């Protein structure tokens, strides 16, 4: 490995890492609430809401992310209505915004799937107990359903976070220079394909390891809480 | 509006071009998946049996490929291989053949390399999930190791792996869209060309999305049927 190339490449890749991080942050920060909302819609009693949410998930999970990003960035700009609306144009007119929107919508569908199974796996008895205590649906959601579903969903969601980081690389196809975009540019500039690949993989692996470790810590935190409450509730003499 | 679409898709022949692209996409996907699976079985066995050096190498390969974006793997294979493919082709005098077939071959290999990394994990998990008692029973009947493997372990592991293989396939068929970036004439590339020439990106990208959606939906149904077939006789399985 040639260290001059490493020293040359790292500043560029660091600026790319900022963009990747930005897209991923939005993907996690807004994609998680979106996914939970859609999951709730999919488990709701209202047929129309349920069908619409199902369709959204099916479309975004059934088509490649590349197609979605192209439809959003190149396709929607063709519609005059969207072009004249300043809010929508702000969202899709800029490469970075379009990439964030695409990642957000994509991860929303996958997250919804994860949380839907988590909501479905909740024991009925708990919810019935909450209802019989006279809790309102909102309180049941906030105090019973959501904490339990989060614990169920967290292991799968952590792999979804790794996927978000990887999917953000597709932003480079619409000329947003994030890590992969810079890597491609550096590859064609220096011809040190393998060196650049190794450095870039180190960047991605670091991002993933940091993200996964954070989620694992959160997971442990949640399980710890559960263990405490269980020993308090069930065993008369703590061991 | 509708007449414009009709003239673009039928009279200018873009519909047919997209369908041809879709066929190429399916070919790349299936070939990549099959090559990846065939390569994944020995790798998974190496990891399952903890073969000293090979198992660590496979581990690193699978972690790296699963940890970095598919696009980056494709760039590595494409840009990394241009040089020596040229050399080999010139040395053997197949320059024209190499230039025309090169993107397809590297594209399929790239897809195979990605799907293989995921398949290794699926297969390893399935192999480890085969009950130990069955293997001990096979050993106690003095079955030779290879017979025990092909008659007992592999069929059971394949049953357990089918769900995971389905997931890998769904991902692989969607990943094939990435090789369009490096100029392979599959569905996504066709859509990009059509969108560029006719200047109606919305229409053509939506058609591409529909075709991809049809592929994933059909293969999902087929896998569902296959799963039911392979699970017959296993109650609740």
């Amino acid at each position: 490995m040639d260290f001059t190339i490493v020293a040359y490449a790292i500043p560029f890749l660091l600026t790319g890492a900022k963009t990747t991080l930005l897209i991923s942050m939005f993907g996690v920060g807004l994609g998680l609430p979106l996914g939970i909302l859609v999951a709730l819609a999919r488990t709701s009693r209202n047929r129309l809401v349920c069908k619409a949410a199902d369709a959204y998930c099916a479309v975004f999970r059934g088509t490649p992310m590349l197609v979605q990003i192209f439809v959003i960035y190149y396709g929607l700009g063709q519609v005059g209505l969207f072009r004249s609306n300043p809010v929508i144009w702000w969202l899709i007119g800029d490469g970075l915004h379009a990439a964030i929107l695409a990642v957000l919508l994509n991860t929303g569908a996958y997250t919804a799937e994860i949380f839907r199974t988590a909501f479905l796996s909740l024991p009925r008895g708990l919810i019935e107990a909450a209802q019989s205590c006279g809790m309102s649906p909102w309180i049941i959601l906030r105090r019973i359903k959501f904490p339990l579903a989060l614990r169920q969903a967290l292991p799968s969601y952590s792999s979804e976070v790794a996927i978000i980081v990887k999917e953000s690389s597709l932003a480079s196809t619409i000329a947003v220079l994030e890590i992969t975009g810079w890597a491609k540019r550096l590859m064609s500039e220096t011809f040190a394909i393998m060196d650049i690949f190794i450095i870039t993989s180190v960047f991605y692996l670091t991002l993933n390891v940091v993200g996964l470790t954070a989620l694992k810590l959160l997971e442990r935190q949640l399980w710890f809480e559960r263990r405490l409450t269980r020993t308090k509730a069930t065993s008369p003499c703590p061991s | 509006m509708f007449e414009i679409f009709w003239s673009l898709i039928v009279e200018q022949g873009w519909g047919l071009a997209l369908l041809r692209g879709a066929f190429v996409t399916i070919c790349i996907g299936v070939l990549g998946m099959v090559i990846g699976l065939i390569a994944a079985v020995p790798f998974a066995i190496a990891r399952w049996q903890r073969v000293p050096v090979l198992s660590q190498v496979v581990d690193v390969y699978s972690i790296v490929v699963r940890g970095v974006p598919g696009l980056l793997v494709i760039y590595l294979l494409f840009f990394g291989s241009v040089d020596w493919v040229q050399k080999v082709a010139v040395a053997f005098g197949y320059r024209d053949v190499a230039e025309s077939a090169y993107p397809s071959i590297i594209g399929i290999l790239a897809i195979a390399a990605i799907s293989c990394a995921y398949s290794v994990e699926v297969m390893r998990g399935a192999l480890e999930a085969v009950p130990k008692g069955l293997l001990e029973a096979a050993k106690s009947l003095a079955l030779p190791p290879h017979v025990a493997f092909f008659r007992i372990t592999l069929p059971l592991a394949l049953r357990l792996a089918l769900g995971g293989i389905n997931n890998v396939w769904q991902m692989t068929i969607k990943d094939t869209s990435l090789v369009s970036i490096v100029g392979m004439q599959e569905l996504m590339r066709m859509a990009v060309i059509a969108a560029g020439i006719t200047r109606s990106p919305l229409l053509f990208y939506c058609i591409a999305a529909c075709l991809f959606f049809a592929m994933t939906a059909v293969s999902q149904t087929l896998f569902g049927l296959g799963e039911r077939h392979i699970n017959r006789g296993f109650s609740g399985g």
Side-chain angles (χ1 to χ4, degrees), chain B:
Chain B
M1 193 77 168
F2 183 74
E3 282 144 31
I4 302 173
F5 288 173
W6 179 259
S7 91
L8 280 178
I9 293 168
V10 178
E11 282 161 24
Q12 296 186 24
W14 286 114
L16 207 62
L18 284 182
L19 280 182
R20 218 168 34 229
F23 179 69
V24 176
T25 290
I26 293 173
C27 288
I28 302 172
V30 170
L31 272 174
M33 186 74 201
V34 168
I35 295 172
L37 260 184
I38 291 171
V41 172
F43 287 168
I45 293 169
R47 286 209 57 195
W48 174 52
Q49 292 289 351
R50 301 204 172 77
V51 178
V53 180
L54 191 60
S55 120
Q56 276 84 14
V57 171
V58 172
D59 208 16
V60 168
Y61 157 73
S62 136
I63 285 177
V64 168
V65 173
R66 287 183 311 138
V68 306
L71 206 51
L72 201 62
V73 178
I74 290 171
Y75 285 150
L76 170 74
L77 288 182
F78 263 89
F79 297 151
S81 64
V82 170
D83 230 26
W84 60 261
V85 165
Q86 210 82 43
K87 272 182 204 147
V88 170
V90 171
F92 287 94
Y94 289 117
R95 195 179 186 141
D96 298 339
V97 179
E99 258 162 32
S100 59
Y102 163 71
S104 332
I105 292 170
I106 299 291
I108 291 167
L109 283 183
I111 294 298
I114 297 168
S115 80
C116 177
Y118 287 87
S119 301
V120 166
E121 292 303 308
V122 169
M123 290 304 294
R124 186 185 61 97
L127 284 172
E128 273 168 13
V130 172
K132 284 272 180 303
L134 289 174
L135 300 183
E136 279 161 15
K139 211 177 274 178
S140 72
L141 288 173
L143 282 184
H146 67 275
V147 174
F149 180 75
F150 281 108
R151 299 296 294 268
I152 315 269
T153 313
L154 198 59
L156 283 168
L158 277 181
R159 186 180 77 90
L160 293 170
L162 196 66
I165 290 174
N166 182 10
N167 286 341
V168 176
W169 162 252
Q170 299 290 333
M171 201 198 60
T172 304
I173 192 79
K174 284 184 267 172
D175 273 352
T176 55
S177 65
L178 297 180
V179 288
S180 70
I181 300 291
V182 278
M184 200 167 162
Q185 302 270 323
E186 43 70 81
L187 174 55
M188 195 59 207
R189 184 83 196 147
M190 283 298 180
V192 171
I193 294 171
I197 292 179
T198 63
R199 298 203 177 168
S200 44
L202 184 61
L203 172 68
F204 284 106
Y205 291 141
C206 283
I207 294 177
C210 290
L211 286 172
F212 269 113
F213 187 71
M215 286 180 214
T216 50
V218 168
S219 57
Q220 190 81 275
T221 317
L222 289 180
F223 263 100
L225 288 177
E227 216 155 316
R228 198 182 307 157
H229 177 74
I230 210 165
N231 277 333
R232 72 200 186 283
F234 287 88
S235 58

Side-chain angles (χ1 to χ4, degrees), chain A residues 82-163:
Chain A
F82 292 154
R83 231 180 334 200
S84 54
N85 184 326
V87 177
I88 296 179
W89 185 242
W90 181 80
L91 271 178
I92 59 170
D94 181 70
L96 182 62
H97 297 167
I100 289 173
L101 184 65
V103 167
L104 176 60
L105 289 175
N106 186 277
T107 181
Y110 284 94
T111 310
E113 188 64 28
I114 293 169
F115 272 89
R116 189 184 66 101
T117 43
F119 279 127
L120 286 181
S121 73
L122 295 182
R124 277 232 40 88
L126 283 177
I127 293 156
E128 277 163 10
Q131 278 164 345
S132 69
C133 288
M135 285 188 179
S136 69
W138 166 245
I139 291 186
I140 292 178
L141 174 67
R142 197 163 54 94
R143 312 237 357 215
I144 314 280
K145 279 189 185 168
F146 180 68
L148 288 169
L150 183 66
R151 204 174 282 160
Q152 283 279 331
L154 215 52
S156 324
Y157 188 69
S158 58
S159 61
E160 177 59 27
V161 170
I163 291 173

